[in-house]
Amino acid sequence: MKKKITVPEIRETKVNGNKFSLVTCYDYSFATLVEKSEIEMILVGDSLGMTMLGYSGTVGVTPDDIIHHGKAVRRGAPNTFIIGDMPFGSYNESIEQGIHTANRFMMEIGCDAIKLEGGKRSAAVVKAIVESGTPVCGHIGLTPQISAAMGGFKVQGKDAIAAKLLLEDAKAIEDAGAFMIMVEGVPSDVTSYIRKNINIPIIGIGAGVDCEVQAMVMHDLLGFTDWVPKFAKKYANIGEIAVEAFNAYSKEVKAEQFPTPQYSYNTKVEGLE
Ligand code: KIV
């Protein structure tokens, strides 16, 4: 049986050189496959707005959406470390609101930790959630929930001043008590600069190789779509395989080649004539 990693084990990657991987996951079926794999962590990400609900961004995803999907993921992956992603509008009204959402994720999903976006701007709510007993992962750099304010999904930290501001954000989240920080969409050199100057592990996505943990969106990793972002590697072509299977099935139905007796109940029923 898979052994679930712990927050102290994640923290120790900063000194022992262990590398962990995380994939997003949003449903029971795929969670059972991640559970069977060697991947240590799942993020029930607000990217489910795009991957599962067809939204154009993450704004609009609610805590109830994350809880609905997260409960299914937990049922499929009881021994995988699960992080619940706090969506836009679920922690930026007040500290009490942030603690309330974090409590719901821990109690209703059975999360092992929560993640929320923002550096200095989110430090107070990170501190309060940590002090209330929930492990928190920060998220800086390209933060999709405020992509409108950032002028789109753009690489962050592209000059020395922006890199210094990112380090200040990372330090603010570390000082607030986060056990790990996600760095997204940042040049590799800037990630290394941040990594050298903080004492908590970095989970990178589009942030280069110099991170303790790497993250990928499942739909990119498995190749559900033709297009994936520059930083995402398709390890499979599930989209093509699925469409081929749908077409093979449809052709056989039209040609009356499916179902053959092998896929039918063939008991002879007396008296039908
Ligand atoms: O919701 C999400 O998928 C994320 C990614 C950056 C991993 O936060």
Side-chain angles (χ1 to χ4, degrees):
M1 204 216 301
K2 191 170 184 175
K3 186 186 163 293
K4 199 202 279 189
I5 54 162
T6 62
V7 168
E9 281 167 347
I10 296 169
R11 279 181 171 280
E12 281 158 22
T13 58
K14 189 74 196 175
V15 282
N16 65 16
N18 282 349
K19 296 273 184 176
F20 290 143
S21 48
L22 172 146
V23 68
T24 64
C25 187
Y26 320 97
D27 71 356
Y28 171 81
S29 303
F30 278 104
T32 63
L33 302 182
V34 179
E35 177 84 353
K36 281 187 199 158
S37 79
E38 292 169 13
I39 290 178
E40 291 86 2
M41 285 182 234
I42 285 175
L43 173 71
V44 183
D46 60 359
S47 52
L48 70 80
M50 286 101 94
T51 56
M52 303 303 286
L53 305 175
Y55 298 169
S56 58
T58 58
V59 176
V61 173
T62 65
D64 285 344
D65 291 331
I66 303 282
I67 289 169
H68 176 72
H69 288 268
K71 283 165 123 171
V73 171
R74 176 48 88 206
R75 285 192 286 271
N79 300 305
T80 304
F81 190 94
I82 294 182
I83 303 177
D85 204 7
M86 306 243 288
F88 183 78
S90 72
Y91 58 92
N92 58 359
E93 284 176 15
S94 66
I95 289 194
E96 291 69 31
Q97 186 204 26
I99 296 175
H100 178 70
T101 309
N103 285 348
R104 286 194 67 198
F105 282 17
M106 297 301 279
M107 292 160 69
E108 295 180 44
I109 300 174
C111 280
D112 299 290
I114 64 93
K115 171 171 91 59
L116 57 80
E117 292 186 4
K120 278 171 269 181
R121 69 183 162 93
S122 297
V125 70
V126 168
K127 186 168 189 294
I129 296 171
V130 171
E131 283 172 0
S132 74
T134 294
V136 176
C137 172
H139 184 164
I140 60 163
L142 198 176
T143 44
Q145 291 174 11
I146 60 155
S147 62
M150 288 176 149
F153 292 83
K154 292 189 175 152
V155 176
Q156 301 295 305
K158 286 199 332 194
D159 59 50
I161 293 172
K164 187 167 173 285
L165 290 174
L166 278 179
L167 176 60
E168 285 171 19
D169 275 338
K171 278 182 181 287
I173 294 305
E174 176 184 1
D175 291 346
F179 72 97
M180 175 164 74
I181 187 159
M182 179 171 277
V183 176
E184 176 172 359
V186 163
S188 310
D189 286 356
V190 174
T191 308
S192 300
Y193 161 72
I194 296 171
R195 187 179 177 208
K196 268 191 221 104
N197 287 289
I198 61 172
N199 296 305
I200 53 174
I202 289 185
I203 172 165
I205 177 159
V209 75
D210 195 13
C211 305
E212 286 77 12
V213 185
Q214 290 290 337
M216 279 268 271
V217 170
M218 178 184 283
H219 287 53
D220 294 339
L221 188 159
L222 292 181
F224 273 70
T225 51
D226 293 337
W227 181 87
V228 293
K230 173 183 164 56
F231 56 78
K233 179 170 173 186
K234 279 193 197 184
Y235 285 86
N237 263 315
I238 292 291
E240 268 176 44
I241 293 170
V243 174
E244 270 169 28
F246 294 151
N247 285 339
Y249 163 60
S250 167
K251 273 200 192 81
E252 289 195 0
V253 167
K254 289 181 178 77
E256 292 193 354
Q257 289 168 345
F258 179 84
T260 54
Q262 185 192 351
Y263 299 102
S264 308
Y265 300 104
N266 302 310
T267 316
K268 289 289 164 226
V269 178
E270 299 292 322
L272 281 185
E273 63 285 358

